[in-house]
Amino acid sequence: MSKTHVTTSINASLHEFLCEPGDTLLDVLRNELQLTGTKEGCGTGDCGACSVTLNGRLVCACLVLAVEVEGMEVGTIEGIGQSDSLDVIQEKFLEHAALQCGICTPGLIVSTKALLDENPDPTEAEARYYLAGNLCRCTGYDKIIRAVMDAAATLGGAKEGV
Amino acid sequence: MVSIVYAAPTSIQDAVELLADNAMPANVLAGGTDLLIQTRAQAGSAESRLFVDVKKIKGMSSANMTPQGLELGPSISCAEFTARDDIRALYPGLVEAAGLIGSTQIQGRASLGGNLCNSSPAADTIPALIVNSAQCVIVGTQGERRVTVEDFVTGVGSNCMHQGELLKLIFVPTPVARTSDAYLRFIPRSEMDIAVVGAGVSVTLDASGSCQAARVSIGAVAPRALLVPEAAAALIGTSLDAAALTAAASAASAAAKPISDKRGTAEYRQHVVGVLVKRATLIAADRVKP
Amino acid sequence: MSEAREFKHIGQRTIRPDGYDKVTGRANFGADLSLPGMIWGKIHRSPHAHAKILSIDTSKAEAHPDVLAVVTASDFPAIQSETIAVGEGSEDLFDLTRNLLAADKVLYHGHAVAALAARSERAAAEALSLIEVQYEVLPPVLDLRAAMADDAPVLHQDMFTEGYDKKPEKPSNVATRLEAKIGDIEAGFAAADVIVEREFYTPTAHQGYIEPHACTVRYDENGQSMIWCSTQGHFDVRARTAKILDMDQTSLKVIASEIGGGFGGKTTVYLEPVALLLSKKSGCPVKMVMQRTEVFIATGPTSAAKLWVKVGAKKDGKITAMQGRLAYEAGAFKGSPMMPGVMTMFAPYDVANVCVEGFDVVVNKPKVAAYRAPGAPQAEFAAEMLVSELADQLAMDPLELRLKNAAREGTQTLYGPKLKSVGLVACLEAVKNSPHYQAPLGTPQSGKVRGRALASGFWFNMGGQSSVVINMNPDGTGTIVEGSPDIGGSRASMQMMAAEAMELPISRLKPIIADTDNVPFSATTGGSRTTYATGMAVVEAAQKVVQQLKERAAALWNLTPEQVEYADGVVHAKQGDDQLSVREICQAAEKTGGQISGQANINARGAGPGFAVHVCDLEVDTDTGKVDVIRYTASQDAGKAIHPGYVEGQLQGGAVQGIGWALNEEYIFDDQGVMENSGFLDYRIPLASDLPMIDTLVVEVPNTFHPYGVRGVGETSIIPPLAAVGYAVSKAIGAPITTLPCSPPRVLKLIQDKA
């Protein structure tokens, strides 16, 4: 089977790759581009471990064909936070002990960023529903929600200061 | 594993020609949230399959409000659809239904047309489209035809489209004055599940609150979503009092032909469909603007 | 340990040392390693729950251009039956090999029959269908009733029930029968004024870790084979794989990747020996990653159980007798956690007359594996449901009834010892005084009803072997080398305990999880043992480092170690002004005898038992049977919470897993034993939107065996929710819950039957 050439922007830098038409974006991110921060928990869109953004919209990378992202903008966990400083969301996850094993953490952080980009001041219920597609089996979500709400408050505070 | 051939036409005509070609079985790819899972489940199969990605066709992912009604590009994502305040104002129940499909991530991809064409008995948007008298505009090599949504789906996972046809547009007429709708589904958790039961209701009330017109549609209780005129009849001419609601609920339960499966028993579905019809009716009535 | 101690690091909410990697996606989990030339392995699984294998034809798969190796059970060296420890239980090595790849029979839907490796994941998946297996399908045995029936089809012709005085004449699906008792059960019931009795049922439930099993392996005929995998115990992976493949342990290095959840389910092997065989045959490194469906159908869930229980008490609430009879499904091979079920069932109670009988039963379902306090949630669910019912019958507050009968220091346990100082009474008191328990339940909207219930939980906790080496670097920093995979933040507690013992800032100490070649043996992360046992080893190793620091400084000053003292990272001469920092001593180590390093290889005893008490408020929709938990509080004795945030996290996570088990989680099989809900869509674990905040009350009754008072906290928290939720539903709807989960159709039926 001949491979398809795809050009796309990943975390704001230009990438080119070859893929088979049946390969998912998740396959390509993990196996071709070695961007293994995006995790696979189910392969069927039920767990959110592979959450990425596509043109700014939150999606499961396991349910996107790699060929579809031609000319689009992909955002992954590797694009969140600078090399010398973490994003506020990442800091809050650490401060609140909002991760135990850590496998769901990249997906949750990508989703939280999408949430706060769309809705900078969510209620607890809004945060819980927005993140319902990100399964965590370790924490019972309590500390995750606290981290999300604290990140929102911190970012909101920063905005008011501008 | 199924081997995929991918095509992304930029015109309806090219898409129809691709779909009509007999070289290999073809599927329309919109959001892909059902199609990719179904394809993945056939890991042992070595067949070739053409995926026709329709999202690059102009108009296929847009939604235009016209005086006659809503012209809905079938591959519009649920996320984009539910973000439209103008649509929510006229069809709150339909927006609710679209907003219930899967997680935020799924919403980012899943489309209304995909939900319709996947033709699951449990599809959330189908009862909501039916109560809004929505129509499907289908295009093929022979030209266009229109089919109501209640006639579009023919059974579990099957619909009236033939090979080479494409769902081009979903048209949702503008509701008459003092009309509103609601959609409810029952799931065991608060999110993420497939509907165990779904119910859509649209009501038109006069100034005194008397029901002038109604449509009731139920999902996940038969091989396809059903329009239940008996339930609507129980509501029309009443003030939606307790007796009318109970009669509508009984009519819905009677029309339901559910099965028992991993998501619920037939007995359970038969009962809950009535409960949801009652509740959705009250919500829709409450939404009617004075 | 009785006096309160001042700690500098312990009890702080530090940032975990592996945190940066985990929030940036840099941490490497089981599926994240790729090697040059690597190929992909996949498993061909049985479509039948019970069948004889007549033949396996792999020739077509072998002929596939991209397939480089195919293996079946016949590729394993012959192996004898031998019992080996696994996490908190044990398993038979022969059964383990049969579970890895079926030989004569398949015993559950999804049972591995053959494996292959191909150049791509896609080619491997495609080639699986080329493996042709002929079966003679047998009737499946799908539940306890069917398995224990006189005329039941027998899974294993060589299995005769153990635990009776005489060996039975016929083979049976009952592997073991066990009875444990104290006192005189008949006399106990004779003395009772009130007796309650009921039978309960809990379903097969899965650990539900988000990371599927995964490994990347490389076989090397010169004795340098390597396994990288997601496991709770890499030494156990080495021991099992080496034994199964007849290798020396020195020729196999196992590297524990970061682990994406386990909860007991990653304490055995499913892929690793098979992957190594594929690597040996193909000459290439092999990667294997399970699909989610495979995780559900072919890795260990926990037992479905049938639980009969009877309790008698005086009018004043003093319990006089507690009796249980438990049957646990083991899945395809013997070895359910029936025994810990028997031993924990009534452990929260100080009762003179106790008798519990248990049965370990094989059925045509996947072989069970450890799941958080294995065996205890089922048995204690039944006991706690009935104790709550007893409280209602006696018109007593359920908390007061539990206080009156609470296990405490000196209580004779069913499993042997008398309890030392434990925290059950303290947990009960904490709940009693909590804002939650003090608050009224409140009035629901019309169409809804509310219920509140509480339940206790007990788990033994484990100690066992742990090894730690602390190497001091020339710049005065220290590397803590441990062998316990970090499943929930244990690196943070190791770092904090070392910092406390060495009086150094945590930033100067870095914990690492070393592979099997680079740290002495450490038992599996399980049994809530890591912060306890590995923590003890850390403290001992740290103390040795401090002693060496004093010796080295003394040597530089020509003093004896007794003439110096150590505080806050500095050695002082007791006489005069001489002082040297840790950094200076480490810099000079070359001159004073070389590397400064402390090592502790211990076998920790005295893990303090863990008690918990949870209280749950919930609301039931009487038209649909849907249950919503609206308020939840978990209290537990941590001994000493090293990192309170991660201790609270264990309480919250366990509580929510238990809530899931109580409300929606269950394996659903068709009548041929095929699991119908083998994905996260229909195996419904709790979501963020399903839950309220989980309040915690961490009680600290120090465990005298640990230098800082630690008790394990990982497991007990999953035990109370089953009955706290179950009985709250009973209270809300006014009908007894006997079967979990409390799924909407089941709850609605109870409501309708009552009306």
Side-chain angles (χ1 to χ4, degrees):
Chain A
M1 172 93 34
S2 67
K3 295 204 169 192
T4 306
H5 177 262
V6 175
T7 306
T8 186
S9 153
I10 300 176
N11 300 326
S13 76
L14 198 67
H15 283 260
E16 293 180 65
F17 56 82
L18 293 175
C19 67
E20 292 192 21
D23 289 344
T24 64
L25 174 59
L26 181 61
D27 294 332
V28 168
L29 287 174
R30 291 183 52 82
N31 299 333
E32 296 298 318
L33 304 175
Q34 307 304 321
L35 293 170
T36 56
T38 306
K39 305 300 181 188
E40 177 164 346
C42 70
T44 49
D46 298 313
C47 80
C50 67
S51 297
V52 298
T53 55
L54 204 54
N55 285 358
R57 181 129 6 238
L58 190 67
V59 300
C60 285
C62 72
L63 293 183
V64 176
L65 290 178
V67 289
E68 291 183 85
V69 306
E70 170 71 38
M72 296 180 89
E73 290 177 5
V74 179
T76 73
I77 183 66
E78 285 87 356
I80 298 179
Q82 305 297 313
S83 58
D84 55 346
S85 73
L86 294 175
D87 186 272
V88 170
I89 296 165
Q90 292 166 318
E91 282 175 0
K92 293 301 174 190
F93 268 65
L94 292 177
E95 278 175 28
H96 285 270
L99 56 147
Q100 286 177 26
C101 79
I103 193 81
C104 70
T105 309
L108 266 158
I109 286 172
V110 169
S111 297
T112 301
K113 188 161 190 320
L115 163 67
L116 299 184
D117 286 348
E118 275 177 47
N119 179 0
D121 188 22
T123 63
E124 183 192 322
E126 285 169 347
R128 285 183 180 276
Y129 275 88
Y130 194 95
L131 299 174
N134 289 88
L135 300 183
C136 168
R137 190 61 158 170
C138 293
T139 65
Y141 304 104
D142 182 299
K143 293 185 186 303
I144 291 172
I145 298 301
R146 286 179 202 280
V148 171
M149 300 306 284
D150 192 6
T154 305
L155 289 164
K159 250 179 252 158
E160 276 161 21
V162 173
Chain B
M1 199 169 266
V2 179
S3 84
I4 306 298
V5 177
Y6 173 85
T10 52
S11 74
I12 297 263
Q13 193 186 341
D14 288 352
V16 167
E17 277 171 20
L18 283 163
L19 290 166
D21 185 4
N22 273 318
M24 65 183 91
N27 292 96
V28 172
L29 172 68
T33 53
D34 287 314
L35 184 61
L36 264 57
I37 294 170
Q38 288 156 7
T39 307
R40 189 186 172 105
Q42 299 166 330
S45 161
E47 72 163 10
S48 292
R49 190 87 70 76
L50 173 68
F51 280 6
V52 180
D53 183 351
V54 295
K55 294 189 293 295
K56 303 210 154 91
I57 301 171
K58 196 166 180 294
M60 279 298 278
S61 305
S62 61
N64 302 317
M65 291 290 259
T66 72
Q68 290 72 40
L70 172 63
E71 293 174 355
L72 201 54
S75 62
I76 188 170
S77 72
C78 291
E80 225 168 298
F81 179 75
T82 57
R84 288 276 295 271
D85 290 339
D86 55 339
I87 299 175
R88 185 181 293 269
L90 272 189
Y91 316 97
L94 179 57
V95 172
E96 266 163 6
L100 287 172
I101 298 171
S103 60
T104 312
Q105 289 86 338
I106 299 294
Q107 298 265 311
R109 297 282 291 171
S111 66
L112 274 82
N115 196 232
L116 187 49
C117 293
N118 188 54
S119 302
S120 158
D124 288 306
T125 59
I126 295 179
L129 285 167
I130 288 175
V131 298
N132 279 292
S133 305
Q135 296 170 359
C136 306
V137 180
I138 298 166
V139 58
T141 47
Q142 308 298 311
E144 273 186 25
R145 61 189 178 113
R146 279 188 178 235
V147 181
T148 62
V149 171
E150 56 266 37
D151 292 332
F152 178 82
V153 181
T154 52
V156 178
S158 65
N159 55 49
C160 71
M161 286 209 296
H162 308 300
Q163 190 194 342
E165 286 191 319
L166 173 70
L167 178 65
K168 177 185 165 190
L169 192 78
I170 302 169
F171 176 72
V172 195
T174 303
V176 300
R178 303 187 53 79
T179 298
S180 198
D181 69 335
Y183 174 79
L184 290 175
R185 71 166 182 195
F186 181 82
I187 53 172
R189 291 182 293 190
S190 54
E191 263 282 1
M192 299 299 288
D193 299 332
I194 303 290
V196 177
V197 177
V201 175
S202 158
V203 293
T204 306
L205 307 183
D206 69 11
S208 70
S210 171
C211 180
Q212 303 300 297
R215 282 170 75 87
V216 176
S217 177
I218 54 180
V221 290
R224 59 193 180 116
L226 301 176
L227 180 66
V228 190
E230 299 82 1
L235 300 173
I236 295 167
T238 75
S239 61
L240 305 181
D241 53 289
L245 293 174
T246 302
S250 301
S253 292
K257 300 282 177 284
I259 56 163
S260 291
D261 66 8
K262 62 190 172 189
R263 293 176 185 143
T265 61
E267 190 188 9
Y268 182 77
R269 288 182 157 119
Q270 198 120 30
H271 171 81
V272 172
V273 73
V275 173
L276 296 192
V277 164
K278 261 190 207 182
R279 291 180 181 177
T281 303
L282 289 173
I283 296 169
D286 195 51
R287 283 174 174 161
V288 175
K289 302 279 181 305
Chain C
M1 280 304 310
S2 53
E3 77 280 17
R5 281 173 62 176
E6 287 290 320
F7 291 113
K8 189 157 185 205
H9 302 288
I10 288 171
Q12 301 295 309
R13 293 173 189 257
T14 60
I15 300 297
R16 61 194 284 168
D18 55 328
Y20 183 89
D21 284 352
K22 289 195 171 139
V23 298
T24 55
R26 294 181 191 188
N28 286 315
F29 289 79
D32 294 345
L33 180 72
S34 292
L35 294 175
M38 183 184 84
I39 61 174
W40 293 77
K42 291 266 180 206
I43 290 185
H44 180 94
R45 298 185 181 279
S46 167
H48 306 296
H50 195 190
K52 269 188 200 151
I53 297 174
L54 302 177
S55 66
I56 306 175
D57 181 354
T58 59
S59 57
K60 284 183 189 155
E62 279 158 9
H64 188 291
D66 287 333
V67 171
L68 298 179
V70 183
V71 298
T72 64
S74 62
D75 291 292
F76 284 131
I79 197 140
Q80 300 300 312
S81 181
E82 177 187 345
T83 301
I84 45 173
V86 45
E88 288 150 297
S90 62
E91 68 189 353
D92 184 292
L93 204 58
F94 180 81
D95 290 348
L96 178 59
T97 64
R98 289 297 179 263
N99 198 35
L100 287 167
L101 288 171
D104 310 318
K105 272 176 110 179
V106 289
L107 293 160
Y108 54 96
H109 170 248
H111 197 161
V113 177
L116 57 77
R119 287 196 173 88
S120 71
E121 192 175 14
R122 177 179 297 273
E126 193 179 290
L128 280 183
S129 58
L130 301 175
I131 294 173
E132 292 173 348
V133 186
Q134 300 286 328
Y135 296 100
E136 178 191 332
V137 179
L138 302 171
V141 178
L142 296 176
D143 60 32
L144 289 161
R145 186 188 302 260
M148 295 172 86
D150 279 344
D151 57 349
V154 171
L155 271 66
H156 303 279
Q157 289 300 332
D158 58 349
M159 194 158 92
F160 295 84
T161 309
E162 289 183 15
Y164 290 108
D165 295 338
K166 262 175 49 186
K167 183 180 171 182
E169 287 171 6
K170 282 198 316 182
S172 161
N173 291 323
V174 179
T176 308
R177 180 245 178 206
L178 174 80
E179 188 181 74
K181 56 181 157 187
I182 48 177
D184 179 340
I185 194 70
E186 268 129 47
F189 282 117
D193 298 318
V194 178
I195 293 174
V196 286
E197 176 183 347
R198 209 176 273 288
E199 189 170 87
F200 297 92
Y201 175 81
T202 61
T204 305
H206 199 273
Q207 297 84 349
Y209 32 82
I210 305 299
E211 179 200 30
H213 297 258
C215 65
T216 296
V217 311
R218 184 178 51 218
Y219 183 83
D220 182 323
E221 58 202 8
N222 296 315
Q224 300 293 314
S225 294
M226 181 280 283
I227 294 175
W228 157 283
C229 64
S230 172
T231 177
Q232 291 174 241
H234 45 319
F235 285 91
D236 277 359
V237 172
R238 182 181 70 171
R240 277 167 180 62
T241 306
K243 197 113 196 181
I244 289 167
L245 300 184
D246 196 18
M247 300 166 73
D248 290 337
Q249 294 196 5
T250 48
S251 63
L252 179 57
K253 171 159 85 176
V254 181
I255 306 167
S257 70
E258 295 302 327
I259 173 170
F263 313 105
K266 290 178 183 164
T267 55
T268 185
V269 290
Y270 297 102
L271 298 175
E272 294 82 355
V274 177
L276 207 55
L277 263 185
L278 288 168
S279 178
K280 185 180 182 179
K281 268 203 169 178
S282 64
C284 302
V286 172
K287 180 169 185 160
M288 295 185 85
V289 182
M290 279 197 195
Q291 306 273 304
R292 175 54 53 184
T293 296
E294 295 180 283
V295 175
F296 276 113
I297 66 174
T299 73
T302 191
S303 305
K306 199 168 73 171
L307 314 140
W308 172 84
V309 53
K310 183 175 170 183
V311 176
K314 293 286 200 190
K315 279 195 201 106
D316 67 357
K318 184 65 201 161
I319 296 174
T320 56
M322 302 185 105
Q323 188 177 6
R325 190 162 57 242
L326 317 174
Y328 279 57
E329 289 182 3
F333 301 96
K334 66 181 180 282
S336 73
M338 171 272 287
M339 186 160 77
V342 167
M343 298 307 180
T344 57
M345 184 167 196
F346 300 120
Y349 300 93
D350 184 277
V351 173
N353 308 299
V354 181
C355 178
V356 189
E357 186 183 20
F359 300 90
D360 177 31
V361 184
V362 295
V363 294
N364 290 119
K365 293 184 185 175
K367 166 72 170 72
V368 301
Y371 180 18
R372 207 168 195 161
Q378 295 97 322
E380 295 190 55
F381 159 68
E384 290 299 309
M385 290 293 281
L386 213 64
V387 168
S388 289
E389 191 171 334
L390 176 67
D392 281 348
Q393 288 228 0
L394 293 166
M396 272 184 85
D397 181 294
L399 197 151
E400 295 299 335
L401 177 67
R402 286 175 170 84
L403 263 178
K404 190 175 182 87
N405 295 286
R408 58 194 77 211
E409 190 163 355
T411 293
Q412 174 62 53
T413 64
L414 189 60
Y415 60 93
K418 288 198 160 124
L419 289 177
K420 299 203 164 29
S421 147
V422 292
L424 176 58
V425 170
C427 288
L428 285 163
E429 297 284 0
V431 167
K432 187 175 169 180
N433 298 321
S434 67
H436 180 172
Y437 203 66
Q438 300 274 326
L441 184 53
T443 316
Q445 292 177 330
S446 113
K448 296 198 172 180
V449 289
R450 287 188 179 179
R452 170 182 291 171
L454 65 111
S456 310
F458 160 88
W459 182 247
F460 313 96
N461 293 330
M462 283 171 63
Q465 297 183 71
S466 281
S467 301
V468 169
V469 182
I470 300 179
N471 291 319
M472 296 307 293
N473 304 313
D475 62 356
T477 61
T479 307
I480 305 164
V481 185
E482 52 157 327
S484 301
D486 178 356
I487 203 162
S490 61
R491 284 184 186 90
S493 59
M494 300 309 153
Q495 184 187 45
M496 293 164 79
M497 285 186 275
E500 195 72 46
M502 296 168 74
E503 301 182 50
L504 289 175
I506 61 164
S507 59
R508 301 252 308 262
L509 297 165
K510 176 182 158 192
I512 64 153
I513 317 295
D515 63 55
T516 51
D517 281 355
N518 285 298
V519 65
F521 180 82
S522 293
T524 293
T525 291
S528 301
R529 62 175 294 279
T530 298
T531 302
Y532 176 69
T534 307
M536 281 171 84
V538 163
V539 174
E540 190 180 318
Q543 288 164 342
K544 287 179 179 171
V545 169
V546 169
Q547 180 59 28
Q548 285 172 40
L549 290 167
K550 286 160 70 176
E551 287 167 9
R552 301 300 182 89
L556 287 167
W557 296 325
N558 287 321
L559 297 174
T560 67
E562 291 70 35
Q563 292 172 302
V564 305
E565 57 192 3
Y566 179 83
D568 284 331
V570 179
V571 178
H572 304 261
K574 288 180 183 170
Q575 307 279 320
D577 297 331
D578 281 340
Q579 63 174 51
L580 284 168
S581 69
V582 168
R583 184 190 309 252
E584 288 164 331
I585 298 166
C586 290
Q587 259 169 358
E590 191 184 355
K591 295 179 209 138
T592 57
Q595 173 74 45
I596 296 171
S597 172
Q599 177 162 354
N601 307 335
I602 67 166
N603 188 357
R605 298 176 190 286
F611 283 96
V613 177
H614 292 194
V615 54
C616 172
D617 293 359
L618 51 77
E619 203 165 82
V620 183
D621 182 328
T622 53
D623 285 325
T624 65
K626 184 172 191 294
V627 178
D628 287 313
V629 174
I630 55 176
R631 189 168 185 178
Y632 200 96
T633 300
S635 168
Q636 189 171 322
D637 175 16
K640 176 69 200 172
I642 300 297
H643 190 303
Y646 288 103
V647 170
E648 292 159 4
Q650 289 297 322
L651 272 54
Q652 293 163 334
V656 168
Q657 272 187 323
I659 289 170
W661 197 344
L663 288 183
N664 279 310
E665 294 181 33
E666 63 178 323
Y667 272 44
I668 300 169
F669 293 94
D670 72 10
D671 60 3
Q672 293 305 303
V674 176
M675 187 182 180
E676 294 186 310
N677 60 332
S678 58
F680 280 135
L681 183 62
D682 286 301
Y683 184 90
R684 303 183 190 98
I685 74 170
L687 313 170
S689 50
D690 291 341
L691 296 158
M693 292 296 184
I694 307 295
D695 292 334
T696 57
L697 302 165
V698 176
V699 166
E700 296 185 325
V701 177
N703 172 16
T704 50
F705 288 93
H706 188 277
Y708 300 131
V710 167
R711 293 174 197 274
V713 293
E715 292 170 288
T716 313
S717 54
I718 197 175
I719 299 165
L722 278 65
V725 171
Y727 204 72
V729 175
S730 294
K731 294 286 276 184
I733 65 174
I737 290 288
T738 57
T739 301
L740 294 183
C742 300
S743 54
R746 186 168 286 139
V747 173
L748 183 70
K749 182 136 198 339
L750 287 170
I751 293 169
Q752 289 171 333
D753 289 351
K754 183 176 154 264

